[in-house]
Amino acid sequence: MESEKKSSSVSDVGAWAMNVVSSVGIIMANKQLMSSSGYAFSFATTLTGFHFAVTALVGLVSNATGFSASKHVPFWELFWFSIVANMSITGMNFSLMLNSVGFYQISKLSMIPVVCIMEWILHSKQYSREVKMAVVVVVLGVGVCTVTDVKVNVKGFVCACVAVLSTSLQQITIGSLQKKYSIGSFELLSKTAPIQAVSLLILGPFVDYFLSGKFVTNYKMSTGAILFILLSCSLAVFCNMSQYLCIGRFSAVSFQVLGHMKTVCVLTLGWLLFDSALTFKNIMGMFLAVLGMVIYSWAVESEKRSNNKTLSHTKNSLTEEEIRLLKEGVETGPVKDVELALSRSEWILRKIRAYKVDF
């Protein structure tokens, strides 16, 4: 039992480490690929289409070689999920274009409370006071270290709302589909990636043209740009896989909260590798964010332990009560009452009878 717990903990840490490393790596690679000082490949939506195309190819090879098993998920659910996911990607790109960087960061931070509210509405999920407090600390910390100028306009506000709602719904749906169909994270990703790849590669160039005024077909490819696109696509496979894995193992809220560790890493690496300014405000914000993540991890773990104790106590009490009532029913109750008993009660009743015979 203890070895299983240790193995589970190692897997949890591995999933988070893969997500943080691949996410930070892809941000750094895309910064070099898309910045004007790099290769100026300013086609974010099309690039995301490439990401999902490579992910779909990896999934196809994995299924063909028997490395992963394919389980049935209704096509309409996969199609609906892909629409929501693509709305998330497009909404984020439009939000970044139409809003100031400060408001864009605020919209990203709002995903944590939005996910909490949506999970409460859709799944009646409740959160303890400690978890709520930790979420507030994380939001404040990341807000302090990332939000600068805040300018709002109607179009940008609408795009930000679409992006936040669709991203939150996408992350909740990942966990729901995995539980509903008992499907692994990579198997689900293998099913959704082809649909997203096709739709983004068809619509992506037009979205990018609207955003940048340029068509991807007019871009002059260089060896360096191709290498960075391949690097970005390779990292995207691990990033997508770890996202599905983390949400499946934990929850959309945990993914959002602990995912802000990536923000802290990006700010630190930007200072180390790209000479980005790191002020006292940034450092204090990062400290607050990390503190919030530690509090959140502790709160979630405490909540789990408390729930397990309550469940164990309730289960034991109910079982004893069932046995007591059933013993009385065997001695005094009519046969028809026994015949109408629930399946669990029938099983216990048989055990009691067998015990009496042996005795």
Side-chain angles (χ1 to χ4, degrees):
M1 187 73 178
E2 203 155 316
S3 63
E4 282 180 12
K5 274 189 176 180
K6 283 181 182 177
S7 176
S8 178
S9 299
V10 170
S11 299
D12 292 348
V13 172
W16 279 118
M18 188 200 296
N19 186 256
V20 171
V21 171
S22 59
S23 298
V24 173
I26 201 171
I27 289 168
M28 294 293 128
N30 287 351
K31 189 168 184 176
Q32 180 63 25
L33 177 64
M34 302 178 78
S35 66
S36 53
S37 58
Y39 295 100
F41 186 85
S42 56
F43 309 101
T45 314
T46 307
L47 180 62
T48 308
F50 293 156
H51 290 170
F52 281 107
V54 173
T55 304
L57 182 63
V58 171
L60 188 68
V61 171
S62 176
N63 286 332
T65 54
F67 182 75
S68 60
S70 181
K71 290 186 179 179
H72 175 71
V73 179
F75 179 77
W76 71 269
E77 292 219 49
L78 297 174
F79 186 70
W80 157 249
F81 172 81
S82 300
I83 290 172
V84 173
N86 288 349
M87 281 176 66
S88 164
I89 294 161
T90 308
M92 280 295 181
N93 288 341
F94 273 103
S95 177
L96 185 58
M97 180 189 77
L98 297 169
N99 294 311
S100 64
V101 175
F103 186 74
Y104 175 74
Q105 288 294 344
I106 287 175
S107 69
K108 284 182 73 178
L109 285 173
S110 69
M111 282 180 203
I112 300 176
V114 169
V115 167
C116 289
I117 293 167
M118 289 181 80
E119 285 202 320
W120 172 65
I121 293 169
L122 296 173
H123 301 139
S124 303
K125 190 168 183 178
Q126 302 293 327
Y127 297 94
S128 66
R129 187 180 59 183
E130 291 80 7
V131 169
K132 291 173 186 173
M133 181 181 71
V135 165
V136 170
V137 174
V138 171
V139 170
L140 281 175
V142 178
V144 166
C145 66
T146 58
V147 176
T148 50
D149 61 314
V150 179
K151 294 175 185 175
V152 187
N153 60 77
V154 176
K155 286 182 181 177
F157 180 77
V158 171
C159 287
C161 288
V162 170
V164 169
L165 289 171
S166 56
T167 303
S168 302
L169 184 57
Q170 177 218 7
Q171 292 181 356
I172 291 170
T173 308
I174 289 172
S176 299
L177 287 175
Q178 288 188 52
K179 289 182 179 75
K180 186 176 179 180
Y181 295 104
S182 302
I183 189 170
S185 52
F186 186 68
E187 285 77 18
L188 180 60
L189 178 61
S190 300
K191 288 181 177 297
T192 57
I195 303 170
Q196 286 187 256
V198 170
S199 53
L200 286 172
L201 289 174
I202 292 171
L203 299 174
F206 298 101
V207 174
D208 289 331
Y209 178 75
F210 185 82
L211 291 170
S212 63
K214 301 172 188 174
F215 264 117
V216 67
T217 50
N218 297 329
Y219 179 77
K220 290 183 180 178
M221 284 286 182
S222 64
T223 306
I226 292 170
L227 287 174
F228 268 91
I229 288 171
L230 291 173
L231 175 62
S232 181
C233 289
S234 302
L235 289 167
V237 174
F238 292 101
C239 188
N240 289 329
M241 195 189 307
S242 60
Q243 180 189 8
Y244 280 57
L245 189 60
C246 288
I247 293 174
R249 293 181 75 88
F250 307 101
S251 70
V253 177
S254 296
F255 182 74
Q256 279 292 331
V257 171
L258 300 179
H260 280 296
M261 178 58 75
K262 293 176 277 190
T263 307
V264 175
C265 292
V266 168
L267 286 170
T268 307
L269 286 174
W271 173 62
L272 291 171
L273 302 177
F274 298 100
D275 296 322
S276 301
L278 196 64
T279 63
F280 177 74
K281 184 166 92 72
N282 296 139
I283 294 168
M284 284 304 297
M286 286 191 284
F287 173 76
L288 261 180
V290 172
L291 178 65
M293 290 171 209
V294 172
I295 296 170
Y296 179 84
S297 301
W298 166 78
V300 169
E301 197 58 38
S302 298
E303 202 171 36
K304 275 183 186 174
R305 281 200 297 267
S306 176
N307 288 341
N308 287 339
K309 281 180 184 175
T310 306
L311 186 65
S312 175
H313 176 71
T314 306
K315 186 179 175 183
N316 290 337
S317 300
L318 283 172
T319 304
E320 287 166 10
E321 185 67 14
E322 283 172 353
I323 292 171
R324 186 182 67 77
L325 289 171
L326 283 168
K327 279 180 178 177
E328 290 175 3
V330 169
E331 290 165 3
T332 61
V335 176
K336 63 179 180 181
D337 290 335
V338 177
E339 288 173 352
L340 291 172
L342 297 172
S343 58
R344 177 169 169 76
S345 300
E346 286 175 349
W347 181 82
I348 296 170
L349 184 58
R350 285 175 192 154
K351 289 288 182 185
I352 293 168
R353 282 175 173 167
Y355 170 78
K356 284 191 172 185
V357 170
D358 290 340
F359 184 78

